[in-house]
């Protein structure tokens, strides 16, 4: 049985279209034991100088089994992570960014080679970013680019050798579009992705 960590960063809770799409995927992943991490109740805040000093001191001493690194350890041991959050101001909601900040721990989730290059230490086989967008993205236009996918792909490669994919429904808030039909089409993509999830 594989461990799948479902990180729920959906701000609108049960009314979230992103959550609907992500749950469609997660429910169908075969051979999976799913652990759910809901971010909204954690009320994560950005690291301040004190937290950074504590992180660095703990990391330097190799004290990686303390509660401070609980989220990083949870991520590190997952075979796959499904991260669900809305596309937000060209990127990610701030609470998701605060979560991701806690995953980057030198000596735990990655280390540096003798040549000075980062090497991932997470067992992650796959990271899937599930999102919904009111409009459309266009990576040729900086004002419309999907910076979230690009950032998460880089983070995936920093922390692991895992495969990265984005599953998105977009154009949901454009006048005249059938939002439900667009969501159904994305759910069909979720079905196909789940069927070949470990391939």
């Amino acid at each position: 049985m594989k461990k799948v960590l479902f990180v729920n960063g959906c701000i609108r809770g049960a009314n979230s279209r992103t959550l609907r799409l992500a749950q469609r995927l997660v429910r169908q992943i075969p051979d999976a034991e799913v652990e759910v991490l809901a971010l909204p109740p954690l009320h994560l805040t950005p690291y301040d100088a004190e937290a950074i000093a504590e992180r660095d001191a703990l990391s330097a001493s190799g004290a990686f089994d303390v509660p401070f690194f609980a989220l990083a350890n949870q991520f590190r041991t997952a075979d796959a992570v499904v991260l669900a959050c809305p596309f937000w101001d060209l990127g990610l909601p701030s609470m998701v960014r605060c979560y991701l900040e806690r995953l980057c721990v030198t000596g735990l989730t990655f280390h540096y080679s003798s040549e000075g290059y980062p090497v991932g230490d997470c067992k992650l086989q796959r990271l899937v970013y599930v999102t919904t967008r009111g409009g459309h993205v266009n990576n040729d236009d900086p004002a419309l680019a999907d910076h979230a996918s690009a950032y998460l792909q880089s983070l995936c490669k920093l922390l692991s050798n895992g495969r990265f994919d984005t599953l998105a429904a977009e154009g949901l808030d454009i006048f005249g579009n059938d939002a439900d039909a667009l969501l159904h089409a994305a759910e069909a993509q979720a079905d196909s992705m789940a069927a070949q999830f470990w391939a």
Side-chain angles (χ1 to χ4, degrees):
M1 192 78 73
K2 305 275 192 180
K3 176 184 172 183
V4 175
L5 177 61
F6 174 31
V7 181
N8 177 1
C10 299
I11 295 170
R12 294 184 175 92
N15 296 320
S16 168
R17 300 176 298 196
T18 304
L19 182 60
R20 169 181 158 180
L21 179 58
Q23 288 175 330
R24 177 69 170 252
L25 171 64
V26 170
R27 277 196 304 264
Q28 299 182 84
I29 298 173
D31 189 33
E33 178 183 343
V34 178
E35 181 178 1
V36 179
L37 173 64
L39 295 184
L42 299 182
H43 301 293
L44 298 174
T45 56
Y47 276 157
D48 57 15
E50 183 180 346
I52 292 171
E54 182 178 3
R55 180 198 64 186
D56 292 347
L58 290 168
S59 178
S61 66
F64 296 122
D65 57 350
V66 297
F68 189 93
F69 295 128
L71 293 174
N73 276 305
Q74 181 186 47
F75 184 93
R76 184 178 186 268
T77 58
D79 295 295
V81 173
V82 176
L83 170 62
C85 64
F87 186 64
W88 203 266
D89 298 333
L90 303 180
L92 300 159
S94 57
M95 69 173 172
V96 176
R97 182 63 186 86
C98 289
Y99 167 69
L100 298 173
E101 185 174 45
R102 285 158 171 78
L103 304 182
C104 299
V105 183
T106 308
L108 178 64
T109 55
F110 76 100
H111 68 276
Y112 288 99
S113 71
S114 57
E115 293 81 23
Y117 294 103
V119 178
D121 291 319
C122 298
K123 64 184 290 191
L124 204 66
Q125 297 178 37
R126 192 159 192 188
L127 172 60
V128 180
Y129 166 48
V130 181
T131 193
T132 54
R133 308 173 181 131
H136 294 286
V137 299
N138 177 359
N139 290 328
D140 293 328
D141 182 344
L144 299 174
D146 178 5
H147 298 286
S149 285
Y151 174 72
L152 289 169
Q153 183 173 28
S154 294
L155 189 71
C156 181
K157 293 306 176 186
L158 170 69
L159 302 180
S160 75
N161 260 338
R163 171 181 170 181
F164 174 80
D165 292 287
T166 296
L167 172 64
E170 64 177 16
L172 301 182
D173 295 335
I174 295 175
F175 181 77
N177 279 0
D178 185 337
D180 204 48
L182 292 170
L183 269 172
H184 279 305
E187 286 173 331
Q189 295 178 37
D191 296 345
S192 298
M193 180 180 285
Q196 302 294 322
F197 197 81
W198 303 112

